[in-house]
């Protein structure tokens, strides 16, 4: 996912304990109940802890060896029921994150250009002092929040950030979602009835054909796809005689491991997929299989596809028409196949069309809701995001209910593009944003139009950040409230299981003791929420607020709070986690289901519980959303096809190259750039360019070049490589750590260049509002070589 410097990744230091606990559900496979093991002599003894990595969707099991309250080493947990010994370089860095000398251990208050540590009481009093005058004078409409990507991986923040937004009366928030997966949320809402009802490849059972579009799991380990060791699955498919095809402007590490790389012009994936749909109908290849009875809009889709011949998109995509036809036939003929599209399809000019069409092609070829194809996960517990998710109303998509003040951008799923934040701060007038709360986010690096946002943030009257680092964004805050270290808290994933190739769950106990005399992270969020709502900092009753939130969730689950509350002695995220398990598909519903699961069952299985592979469940999914059928041709999405057609027919500017983003195996957006082990080695923040384009521009490998777009310009070293298709250049995202006032020594020493300086804020997928950070027209000009 895009954006954010890593926050704590954890939750409270004094979590609730469920009073109940039954045996595992029949059929569930527990890991060995071994707990932490201690080896060696009493002095300098090593304790081995089993924990789930929370740095990406793979959720790999770790063995963390601790000696003298410090991480000695981290190894893969080969007994983990989910990852079975797989681990990537990021998983080995939790100890470095925990011990990072730049990580804040106490709250800090800004005094001019300097910071001073304060007590927690002083910090909350300062939050009240800077925030209340602004909100009292102008009202809650001048306050907003930015929520970063780490929330999805954080047990406390994921369950409590929404409380802050609601209590503070924030009209709308900004988030990393509109630089990431918003198109997939939109298409899933309109097709299946829920913005988080996202089908994923059943990759562990795919045998014949795997088509990867705009994704690079070799580096990301999966995105909106939780599957450990995806590259191992690719090798398995090929060993078994299957085929892997990667469609991407760049020959990525995933493409290198595939059978075929199909280069494609950025922003034209939807055109390619529409041509595949055309061939499927024209050649009589449409065969949805058993899901046919659940489909609506097939005839409409057939009519829409009539003019989208492979020949009509060949020039725009640069994919030969014959290969497009062949691909359609290969998909239709394959017994077990799936098309997977991800970040490169989402954050482009036609992200919603491309995201929608990935599902459409899988459906039409019979690779939907069937083993080895695109299937709906069945998570063992719900997350707050899915429990309270935006749903489609019976009379159409509830978009455009309001528009942003400056640009007039329409609301989509309750948000507008994150690039609107800068202009809402720096443009005078009634309703100007004057106060900001950021939670685990670094939009000054990760948001399009980053240069304008950096200039806008100092114009705020009040800013508070919940974050563990003084980074490019939080350096502008008046108060920073840090969470605990990532290994000082328990962990229990929830949202990630909504994208998983199987149903499972793992509880992680804290590895290291909590810092004394500090509030839990969820308590920080609730206290700040109360202050923003008008309460005095020294009068906030956190327990009462927590009970109110928990009672709300209990009622949403259809249960009586008076019956449920007595089950718990304390509150916090652990209580919510237990509720989500008990009211999930395998839960005991507080004794109503004999043998059902509780959170205690996961605590009793240190290696996790495996609950089975994905099963066909389209009827269940539709019924839960109140849908009669899958809507194959939603009007809101298909109305964007003429815009795509105009793009396909428009001649490319011969003077421009198209810029796309990229990611490295040892990088996670801007999260991990302060970890020495992950930023060492050769300079990875380079502009990749093809030999043909380099020759035309007069560029040599290693030479500096000026890269310019309508938004701005940067200077970056050039790397000439045949992994780029002609006409396309690539830079990594999440860099640019050379801003003054930060406290991240390693990141600063490997600053890199911020590619978001080149991303025009208004360049978005029109119908989702998602940033189009892939396919930006740029010019590349060589700079003179310095004479020594």
């Amino acid at each position: 996912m895009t954006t954010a410097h890593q926050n704590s990744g954890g939750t409270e230091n004094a979590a609730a304990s469920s009073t109940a606990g039954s045996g595992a559900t029949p059929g569930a496979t527990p890991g060995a109940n071994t707990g932490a093991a201690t080896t060696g002599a009493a002095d300098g003894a090593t304790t081995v802890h089993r924990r789930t990595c929370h740095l990406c969707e793979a959720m790999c099991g770790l063995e963390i060896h601790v000696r003298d309250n410090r991480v000695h080493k981290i190894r893969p947990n080969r007994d983990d029921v989910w990852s079975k010994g797989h681990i990537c370089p990021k998983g080995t860095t939790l100890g470095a994150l925990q011990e990072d000398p730049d990580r804040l251990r106490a709250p800090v208050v800004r005094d001019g250009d300097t910071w001073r540590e304060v007590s927690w009481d002083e910090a909350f009093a300062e939050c009240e002092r800077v925030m209340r005058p602004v909100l009292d004078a102008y009202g809650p409409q001048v306050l907003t929040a930015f929520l970063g990507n780490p929330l999805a991986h954080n047990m406390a923040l994921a369950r409590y950030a929404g409380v802050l937004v609601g209590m503070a009366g924030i009209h709308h928030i900004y988030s990393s979602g509109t630089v990431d997966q918003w198109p997939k949320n939109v298409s899933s809402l309109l097709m299946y009835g829920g913005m988080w009802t996202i089908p994923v490849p059943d990759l562990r059972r795919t045998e014949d054909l795997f088509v990867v579009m705009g994704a690079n799991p070799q580096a990301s380990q999966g995105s909106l796809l939780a599957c450990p060791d995806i590259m191992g699955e690719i090798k398995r498919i090929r060993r078994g005689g299957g085929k892997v095809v990667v469609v991407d402007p760049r020959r990525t590490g995933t493409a290198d491991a595939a059978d075929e790389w199909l280069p494609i012009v950025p922003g034209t994936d939807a055109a390619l997929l529409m041509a595949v749909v055309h061939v499927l109908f024209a050649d009589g290849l449409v065969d949805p299989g058993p899901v046919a009875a659940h489909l609506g809009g097939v005839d409409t889709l057939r009519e829409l596809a009539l003019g989208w011949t492979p020949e009509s998109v060949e020039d725009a995509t640069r994919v030969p028409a014959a290969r497009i036809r062949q691909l359609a036939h290969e998909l239709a003929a394959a017994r077990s196949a799936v098309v997977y599209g991800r970040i490169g399809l989402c954050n482009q000019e036609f992200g919603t069309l491309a995201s929608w069409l990935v599902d459409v092609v899988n459906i039409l070829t019979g690779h939907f809701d069937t083993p080895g194809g695109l299937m709906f996960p069945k998570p063992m517990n719900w997350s707050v995001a899915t429990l309270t998710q935006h749903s489609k109303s019976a009379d159409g998509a509830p978009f455009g209910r309001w528009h942003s003040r400056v640009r007039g951008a329409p609301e989509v799923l309750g948000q507008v593009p994150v690039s609107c934040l800068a202009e809402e701060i720096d443009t005078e007038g009634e309703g100007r944003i004057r106060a900001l709360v950021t939670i685990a986010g670094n939009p000054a690096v990760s948001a399009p139009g980053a240069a304008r946002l950096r200039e806008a943030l100092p114009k705020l009257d009040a800013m508070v950040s919940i974050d563990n680092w003084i980074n490019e964004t939080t350096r502008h805050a008046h108060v920073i409230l840090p969470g605990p270290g990532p290994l000082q808290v328990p962990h229990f994933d929830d949202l990630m299981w909504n994208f998983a190739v199987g149903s499972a769950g793992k509880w992680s106990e804290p590895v290291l003791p909590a810092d004394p005399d500090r509030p839990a992270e969820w308590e920080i969020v609730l206290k700040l929420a109360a202050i923003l709502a008008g309460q005095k900092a020294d009068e906030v009753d956190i327990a009462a607020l927590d009970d109110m939130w928990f009672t709300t969730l209990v009622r949403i689950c259809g249960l009586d709070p008076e019956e449920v509350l007595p089950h718990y002695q304390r509150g916090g995220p652990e209580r919510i986690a237990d509720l989500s398990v008990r009211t999930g598909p395998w839960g005991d519903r507080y004794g109503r289901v004999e043998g059902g699961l509780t959170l205690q069952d996961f605590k009793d299985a240190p290696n996790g519980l495996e609950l089975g592979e994905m099963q066909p469940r389209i009827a269940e999914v539709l019924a839960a959303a109140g849908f009669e059928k899958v809507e194959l041709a939603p009007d809101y999405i298909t109305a964007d096809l003429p815009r795509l057609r105009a793009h396909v027919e428009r001649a490319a500017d011969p003077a421009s190259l198209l810029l796309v983003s990229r990611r490295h195996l040892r990088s996670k957006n801007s999260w991990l750039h302060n970890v020495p082990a992950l930023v060492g080695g050769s300079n990875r923040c380079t502009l990749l360019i093809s030999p043909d384009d380099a020759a035309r521009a007069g560029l040599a490998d290693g030479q500096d070049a000026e890269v310019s777009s309508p938004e701005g310009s940067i200077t970056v070293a050039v790397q000439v490589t045949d992994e780029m298709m002609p006409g396309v250049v690539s830079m990594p995202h999440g860099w640019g750590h050379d801003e003054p006032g930060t406290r991240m020594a390693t990141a600063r020493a490997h600053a890199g260049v911020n590619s978001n300086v080149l991303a025009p804020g208004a360049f978005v997928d029109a119908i989702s509002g998602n940033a189009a950070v892939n396919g930006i027209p740029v010019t590349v000009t060589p700079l003179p070589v310095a004479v020594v």
Side-chain angles (χ1 to χ4, degrees):
M1 292 185 179
T2 306
T3 193
H5 193 283
Q6 201 262 351
N7 194 268
S8 76
T11 145
E12 76 279 25
N13 60 333
S17 294
S18 168
T19 60
S22 64
T25 294
T29 304
N33 187 4
T34 55
T38 302
T39 60
D43 293 332
T46 298
T47 304
V48 180
H49 301 258
R50 290 174 174 82
R51 187 174 179 89
T52 299
C53 178
H54 58 261
L55 297 180
C56 72
E57 280 88 331
M59 298 183 290
C60 297
L62 309 175
E63 282 187 357
I64 301 180
H65 297 240
V66 175
R67 184 181 299 167
D68 298 328
N69 278 335
R70 292 175 63 90
V71 174
H72 175 58
K73 60 184 175 183
I74 297 179
R75 291 180 172 177
N77 178 8
R78 302 188 184 281
D79 295 323
D80 187 273
V81 299
W82 178 249
S83 59
K84 299 177 174 61
H86 176 70
I87 190 175
C88 83
K90 293 185 287 290
T92 65
T93 66
L94 284 172
L97 288 170
Q98 176 70 40
E99 297 172 9
D100 185 350
D102 291 329
R103 180 174 66 82
L104 297 176
R105 270 68 172 177
V108 293
V109 170
R110 181 160 55 85
D111 288 330
D113 294 329
T114 63
W115 296 89
R116 59 183 173 90
E117 285 192 3
V118 296
S119 70
W120 283 98
D121 287 343
E122 289 176 293
F124 287 121
E126 184 69 4
C127 291
E128 181 180 338
R129 189 191 71 79
V130 299
M131 280 289 184
R132 284 314 319 164
V134 180
L135 300 181
D136 291 343
Y138 299 101
Q141 66 269 20
V142 302
L143 171 67
T144 193
F146 177 86
L147 307 184
N149 169 260
L151 268 74
H153 305 271
N154 182 303
M155 183 169 169
L157 297 179
R159 291 167 171 86
Y160 283 87
V163 183
L164 183 148
V165 175
M167 285 188 63
I170 296 174
H171 177 253
H172 69 278
I173 65 169
Y174 298 87
S175 82
S176 57
T178 59
V179 198
D180 192 334
Q181 83 293 330
W182 230 235
K184 203 66 190 177
N185 293 128
V186 170
S187 64
S188 296
L189 172 69
L190 299 182
M191 295 180 76
Y192 316 116
M195 66 178 286
W196 294 109
T197 309
I198 300 174
V200 304
D202 183 28
L203 188 56
R204 294 190 298 193
R205 291 185 286 181
T206 303
E207 300 291 343
D208 301 321
L209 179 61
F210 182 34
V211 180
V212 182
M213 300 185 68
N216 184 19
Q218 181 271 339
S220 69
Q221 306 302 300
S223 179
L224 292 185
L225 171 60
C227 177
D229 196 12
I230 294 177
M231 298 308 293
E233 298 297 338
I234 285 176
K235 293 177 182 177
R236 175 192 56 78
I237 292 170
R238 297 187 66 197
R239 282 198 307 268
K243 185 176 183 179
V244 177
V245 178
V246 173
V247 183
D248 200 289
R250 173 177 164 241
R251 194 185 70 241
T252 63
T254 304
D256 280 336
D259 295 277
E260 182 180 10
W261 170 44
L262 283 180
I264 188 171
V265 174
T268 66
D269 303 87
L272 169 68
L273 290 167
M274 276 301 293
V276 170
V277 171
H278 171 91
V279 173
L280 293 174
F281 279 116
D283 293 2
L285 302 175
V286 172
D287 182 12
V291 302
H294 300 286
L295 303 180
V298 176
D299 292 338
T300 300
L301 187 61
R302 180 185 291 108
E303 292 297 317
L304 290 169
L306 282 175
W308 289 89
T309 64
E311 289 74 18
S312 73
V313 305
E314 182 177 36
D315 290 343
T317 64
R318 294 192 210 161
V319 179
R323 184 63 189 97
I324 297 174
R325 292 183 183 278
Q326 182 186 24
L327 181 62
H329 279 259
E330 288 173 343
L331 284 165
R335 178 185 57 84
S336 171
V338 68
V339 180
Y340 168 51
R342 190 41 198 114
I343 192 78
L345 268 62
C346 283
N347 52 25
Q348 59 164 275
E349 190 176 0
F350 299 95
T352 305
L353 284 172
S355 298
W356 160 64
L357 284 163
V358 165
D359 289 19
V360 166
V361 168
N362 281 299
I363 291 170
L364 295 181
T365 54
H367 305 307
F368 180 78
D369 201 43
T370 187
L374 205 64
M375 302 189 76
F376 291 101
K378 189 172 185 176
M380 48 80 195
N381 66 330
W382 47 260
S383 71
V384 171
T386 59
L387 189 69
T388 58
Q389 69 177 319
H390 206 100
S391 298
K392 181 177 181 291
S393 61
D395 58 353
F399 303 150
R401 295 169 296 175
W402 49 268
H403 292 71
S404 66
R405 178 180 66 99
V406 178
R407 189 186 307 176
E411 164 272 337
V412 178
L413 298 173
Q415 296 188 35
V416 292
V418 68
S419 59
C420 291
L421 178 57
E423 64 200 40
E424 293 294 333
I425 295 172
D426 67 20
T427 303
E428 292 294 337
E430 185 178 354
R432 179 176 79 85
I433 295 299
R434 296 174 178 271
L436 173 67
V437 175
T438 68
I439 304 180
N442 193 4
V445 166
S446 59
R452 182 173 182 178
L453 183 58
R454 290 201 306 265
E455 296 297 320
L457 288 174
K459 299 177 182 179
L460 290 164
D461 295 333
M463 179 176 168
V464 174
S465 295
I466 298 177
D467 207 290
N468 282 11
W469 281 268
I470 302 175
N471 61 31
E472 291 77 19
T473 297
T474 62
R475 71 189 179 99
H476 298 287
H478 295 89
V479 186
I480 304 177
L481 307 171
L487 297 179
Q488 294 176 294
V489 290
H491 183 67
F492 192 65
D493 273 297
D494 57 351
L495 186 60
M496 295 302 105
W497 294 111
N498 286 272
F499 319 129
V501 296
S503 300
K506 297 184 287 180
W507 169 264
S508 298
E509 292 286 353
V511 172
L512 299 172
D515 297 328
D517 304 322
R518 64 155 296 133
E521 198 161 24
W522 62 276
E523 293 174 319
I524 295 171
V525 174
L526 286 181
K527 189 154 187 174
L528 179 59
I531 292 170
L532 296 174
Q535 297 185 35
K536 293 288 187 181
D538 57 359
E539 297 177 0
V540 177
D541 188 338
I542 292 177
L545 294 175
D546 187 34
D547 282 345
M548 289 174 60
W549 174 229
F550 183 72
T551 296
T552 299
L553 295 175
V554 170
R555 288 196 175 112
I556 292 174
C557 293
L559 298 175
D560 182 356
E562 291 188 4
E563 176 189 343
V564 173
L565 282 168
H567 284 264
Y568 304 96
Q569 296 178 349
R570 289 178 294 179
E574 191 169 327
R575 179 169 66 170
I576 298 175
D578 188 53
L579 172 67
S580 70
V581 171
R582 287 171 176 257
T583 55
W586 288 273
D588 78 332
R589 294 195 69 84
Y590 294 92
R592 290 177 174 82
V593 178
E594 184 178 356
L597 287 174
T598 73
L599 184 61
Q600 187 63 45
D601 293 303
F602 293 94
K603 291 185 174 184
D604 292 339
N607 297 311
L609 292 176
E610 176 76 48
L611 303 172
E613 297 175 305
M614 289 191 285
Q615 301 297 323
R617 53 190 298 258
I618 186 60
E620 175 189 343
V621 167
L622 294 174
F627 269 36
E628 293 184 2
K629 293 179 180 293
V630 173
E631 180 50 70
L632 266 183
D635 292 340
Y636 181 81
I637 296 177
T638 59
D640 202 32
L641 284 170
R643 187 172 69 97
L644 176 63
R645 173 58 74 187
H647 178 83
V648 167
E649 294 176 352
R650 186 168 59 244
D653 180 357
S656 290
L657 297 167
L658 295 180
L659 175 69
V660 297
S661 186
R662 72 178 188 271
R663 184 163 149 189
H664 191 275
L665 176 63
R666 290 185 290 155
S667 180
K668 173 70 172 177
N669 306 324
S670 63
W671 288 30
L672 301 179
H673 296 166
N674 213 48
V675 179
L678 296 183
V679 294
S682 60
N683 179 12
R684 296 198 301 270
C685 198
T686 57
L687 182 81
L688 303 185
I689 187 170
S690 75
D692 290 346
D693 291 328
R696 275 191 291 270
L699 284 162
D701 190 66
Q703 182 178 357
D704 283 348
E706 181 180 62
V707 185
S708 301
S709 77
E711 186 71 17
S713 63
I714 58 175
T715 298
V716 62
V718 165
Q719 184 176 345
V720 181
T721 172
D722 63 2
E723 70 186 65
M724 296 305 304
M725 68 178 292
V728 185
V729 293
S730 175
M731 280 191 63
H733 67 269
W735 298 85
H737 301 297
D738 54 354
E739 292 297 309
T742 63
R743 192 180 295 176
M744 295 172 16
T746 298
R748 175 176 288 279
H750 302 81
V753 183
N754 188 354
S755 62
N756 273 318
V757 170
L758 302 171
F763 186 40
V764 299
D765 170 38
I767 59 176
S768 72
N770 200 87
V773 293
N774 284 307
I776 300 170
V778 296
T779 57
V780 180
T781 307
L783 293 178
V785 179
V787 178
V788 179

